[in-house]
Amino acid sequence: AGDMLTVDLYWQAQTTLTTDYTAFLHLVGPDGQLVAQQDQQPLHGFLPTSQWRPQMIIADRYVLTVPTTAPAGRYTLQVGLYDLANGQRLPIARAGQVVGDSAAVATVEVQ
Protein backbone atom coordinates (compact mmCIF):
# COMPACT_ATOMS: atom_id res chain seq x y z
CA ALA A 1 0.00 0.00 0.00
CA GLY A 2 1.19 3.49 -0.84
CA ASP A 3 3.50 2.36 -3.65
CA MET A 4 3.32 3.27 -7.30
CA LEU A 5 2.51 0.54 -9.76
CA THR A 6 3.91 0.89 -13.29
CA VAL A 7 2.22 -1.19 -15.98
CA ASP A 8 3.26 -1.48 -19.61
CA LEU A 9 0.42 -2.45 -21.93
CA TYR A 10 0.83 -3.57 -25.52
CA TRP A 11 -2.07 -2.89 -27.86
CA GLN A 12 -2.64 -4.48 -31.25
CA ALA A 13 -5.61 -3.66 -33.47
CA GLN A 14 -7.01 -6.49 -35.57
CA THR A 15 -8.78 -4.11 -37.95
CA THR A 16 -8.72 -0.41 -38.79
CA LEU A 17 -10.43 1.68 -36.09
CA THR A 18 -12.47 4.77 -36.90
CA THR A 19 -12.90 6.03 -33.33
CA ASP A 20 -10.24 7.51 -31.06
CA TYR A 21 -10.63 5.40 -27.94
CA THR A 22 -9.54 6.12 -24.40
CA ALA A 23 -7.89 3.32 -22.44
CA PHE A 24 -8.45 2.54 -18.78
CA LEU A 25 -6.45 0.63 -16.22
CA HIS A 26 -8.34 -0.16 -13.02
CA LEU A 27 -7.01 -1.67 -9.80
CA VAL A 28 -9.89 -3.60 -8.27
CA GLY A 29 -9.80 -4.76 -4.65
CA PRO A 30 -10.67 -8.19 -3.27
CA ASP A 31 -14.18 -6.87 -2.54
CA GLY A 32 -14.69 -5.86 -6.20
CA GLN A 33 -14.39 -2.13 -5.48
CA LEU A 34 -12.31 0.21 -7.65
CA VAL A 35 -9.24 1.31 -5.68
CA ALA A 36 -7.17 3.21 -8.27
CA GLN A 37 -7.42 4.04 -11.95
CA GLN A 38 -5.76 5.77 -14.86
CA ASP A 39 -7.68 6.68 -18.00
CA GLN A 40 -5.81 8.11 -20.98
CA GLN A 41 -5.67 8.01 -24.73
CA PRO A 42 -2.94 5.54 -25.64
CA LEU A 43 0.46 7.22 -25.86
CA HIS A 44 -1.19 10.29 -24.28
CA GLY A 45 -2.93 10.99 -27.58
CA PHE A 46 0.29 11.05 -29.63
CA LEU A 47 -0.97 8.22 -31.86
CA PRO A 48 -4.79 8.09 -31.65
CA THR A 49 -6.41 4.70 -32.16
CA SER A 50 -7.95 5.89 -35.45
CA GLN A 51 -4.40 6.05 -36.82
CA TRP A 52 -3.46 2.53 -35.76
CA ARG A 53 -2.95 0.05 -38.56
CA PRO A 54 -3.88 -3.62 -38.27
CA GLN A 55 -1.19 -5.71 -36.54
CA MET A 56 0.76 -2.59 -35.43
CA ILE A 57 1.95 -3.06 -31.83
CA ILE A 58 1.62 -0.02 -29.55
CA ALA A 59 3.56 0.05 -26.25
CA ASP A 60 1.84 2.20 -23.64
CA ARG A 61 2.78 2.94 -20.00
CA TYR A 62 0.37 3.51 -17.09
CA VAL A 63 1.17 4.44 -13.49
CA LEU A 64 -1.20 3.86 -10.57
CA THR A 65 -0.71 4.80 -6.92
CA VAL A 66 -2.03 2.22 -4.51
CA PRO A 67 -3.76 4.16 -1.73
CA THR A 68 -2.07 3.96 1.67
CA THR A 69 -5.47 2.94 3.07
CA ALA A 70 -5.73 -0.12 0.80
CA PRO A 71 -6.14 -3.26 2.92
CA ALA A 72 -3.81 -6.20 2.35
CA GLY A 73 -4.98 -8.73 -0.20
CA ARG A 74 -5.03 -9.74 -3.86
CA TYR A 75 -6.06 -7.04 -6.31
CA THR A 76 -6.87 -7.38 -10.00
CA LEU A 77 -5.74 -5.11 -12.82
CA GLN A 78 -8.54 -4.62 -15.36
CA VAL A 79 -7.98 -2.97 -18.73
CA GLY A 80 -10.18 -1.88 -21.61
CA LEU A 81 -11.04 0.83 -24.13
CA TYR A 82 -14.00 3.19 -24.38
CA ASP A 83 -15.37 5.96 -26.54
CA LEU A 84 -14.89 9.19 -24.56
CA ALA A 85 -17.79 10.84 -26.40
CA ASN A 86 -20.41 8.45 -25.00
CA GLY A 87 -18.63 6.27 -22.42
CA GLN A 88 -19.37 3.06 -24.33
CA ARG A 89 -16.73 0.40 -23.78
CA LEU A 90 -15.46 -1.89 -26.48
CA PRO A 91 -16.47 -5.52 -25.93
CA ILE A 92 -13.84 -8.12 -25.07
CA ALA A 93 -14.14 -11.34 -27.07
CA ARG A 94 -12.45 -14.71 -26.62
CA ALA A 95 -12.87 -17.48 -29.16
CA GLY A 96 -15.47 -15.34 -30.92
CA GLN A 97 -17.64 -14.90 -27.83
CA VAL A 98 -18.10 -11.59 -25.99
CA VAL A 99 -16.97 -12.12 -22.40
CA GLY A 100 -17.30 -8.58 -21.01
CA ASP A 101 -16.03 -5.05 -21.47
CA SER A 102 -12.73 -5.28 -19.60
CA ALA A 103 -9.98 -7.86 -19.29
CA ALA A 104 -8.12 -8.97 -16.18
CA VAL A 105 -4.44 -8.69 -17.08
CA ALA A 106 -2.70 -9.33 -13.76
CA THR A 107 -3.11 -9.77 -10.03
CA VAL A 108 -1.22 -7.69 -7.49
CA GLU A 109 -0.57 -8.57 -3.86
CA VAL A 110 -0.95 -5.52 -1.62
CA GLN A 111 0.69 -5.70 1.81
Side-chain angles (χ1 to χ4, degrees):
D3 285 346
M4 296 187 73
L5 180 63
T6 301
V7 179
D8 291 321
L9 297 176
Y10 296 88
W11 303 101
Q12 184 178 39
Q14 300 301 307
T15 62
T16 300
L17 302 170
T18 58
T19 302
D20 291 327
Y21 291 101
T22 298
F24 65 87
L25 179 67
H26 290 171
L27 183 63
V28 179
D31 60 358
Q33 296 297 311
L34 180 64
V35 174
Q37 75 180 72
Q38 183 179 1
D39 292 32
Q40 69 183 36
Q41 285 194 339
L43 298 174
H44 299 282
F46 178 74
L47 184 62
T49 58
S50 64
Q51 294 180 18
W52 293 2
R53 299 296 164 247
Q55 309 311 314
M56 176 187 281
I57 296 173
I58 308 297
D60 201 19
R61 178 163 283 179
Y62 294 75
V63 179
L64 297 176
T65 301
V66 180
T68 57
T69 57
R74 294 192 84 160
Y75 289 67
T76 304
L77 285 170
Q78 296 278 339
V79 66
L81 294 165
Y82 66 93
D83 184 343
L84 186 60
N86 60 21
Q88 178 146 2
R89 290 184 180 185
L90 283 178
I92 303 290
R94 289 197 180 102
Q97 298 292 324
V98 174
V99 295
D101 60 11
S102 67
V105 295
T107 57
V108 176
E109 187 75 31
V110 173
Q111 300 177 347

